[in-house]
């Protein structure tokens, strides 16, 4: 195996590892969003990745990802918020003002 083949192999390995890392971050963010919605009394609808870039936070290079969170507060109206992560750490959750579900009394 010559040096060129070794470099190509290492590049492919790094791409595969980063893809695997992004999937792991996405799965943990979906889990966080579902727990967050349950805790706040919201109905979780979906989570989609909007923006992905590599950044350095406190000296640690990792993926900075912004997700679009769709949820409902009353089962009829959809709202869109965002979740920002750096690696697996959730940095910020932003939700718009939403209508509260009426009491079932």
């Amino acid at each position: 195996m010559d040096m060129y083949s070794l470099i190509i192999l290492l590049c492919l390995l790094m791409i595969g590892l980063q893809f695997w890392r992004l999937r792991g971050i996405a799965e943990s963010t979906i889990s966080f969003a579902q727990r967050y919605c349950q805790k706040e009394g919201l109905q979780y609808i979906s989570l989609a990745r909007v923006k992905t870039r590599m950044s350095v936070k406190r000296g640690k290079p990792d993926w900075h990802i912004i997700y679009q969170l769709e949820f409902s507060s009353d089962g009829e109206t959809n709202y869109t918020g965002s979740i920002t992560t750096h690696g697996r750490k959730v940095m910020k959750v932003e939700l718009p003002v939403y209508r509260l579900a009426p009491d079932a009394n």
Side-chain angles (χ1 to χ4, degrees):
M1 181 178 278
D2 61 345
M3 187 61 107
Y4 180 73
S5 298
L6 185 60
I7 290 172
I8 296 295
L9 183 63
L10 287 175
C11 287
L12 290 174
L13 179 65
M14 287 302 296
I15 290 170
L17 288 174
Q18 290 306 313
F19 175 77
W20 193 341
R21 173 89 174 127
L22 286 170
R23 286 299 317 140
I25 293 169
E27 288 173 10
S28 67
T29 307
I30 288 170
S31 177
F32 170 83
Q34 290 171 338
R35 285 191 319 271
Y36 183 86
C37 286
Q38 183 178 18
K39 183 183 85 169
E40 297 297 324
L42 304 171
Q43 179 184 5
Y44 170 83
I45 297 174
S46 69
L47 190 73
R49 191 169 60 204
V50 175
K51 184 176 180 182
T52 305
R53 65 182 168 90
M54 187 63 95
S55 70
V56 177
K57 183 103 172 162
R58 296 187 183 122
K60 181 186 175 217
D62 210 340
W63 292 104
H64 178 86
I65 305 171
I66 299 173
Y67 293 93
Q68 178 179 317
L69 170 66
E70 290 187 8
F71 65 96
S72 177
S73 61
D74 58 6
E76 296 176 7
T77 311
N78 291 354
Y79 297 96
T80 302
S82 69
I83 298 177
T84 303
T85 64
H86 182 76
R88 289 183 186 258
K89 182 170 174 50
V90 174
M91 304 303 287
K92 180 171 43 172
V93 177
E94 294 179 320
L95 300 180
V97 177
Y98 54 86
R99 185 173 69 177
L100 294 177
D103 289 334
N105 292 338

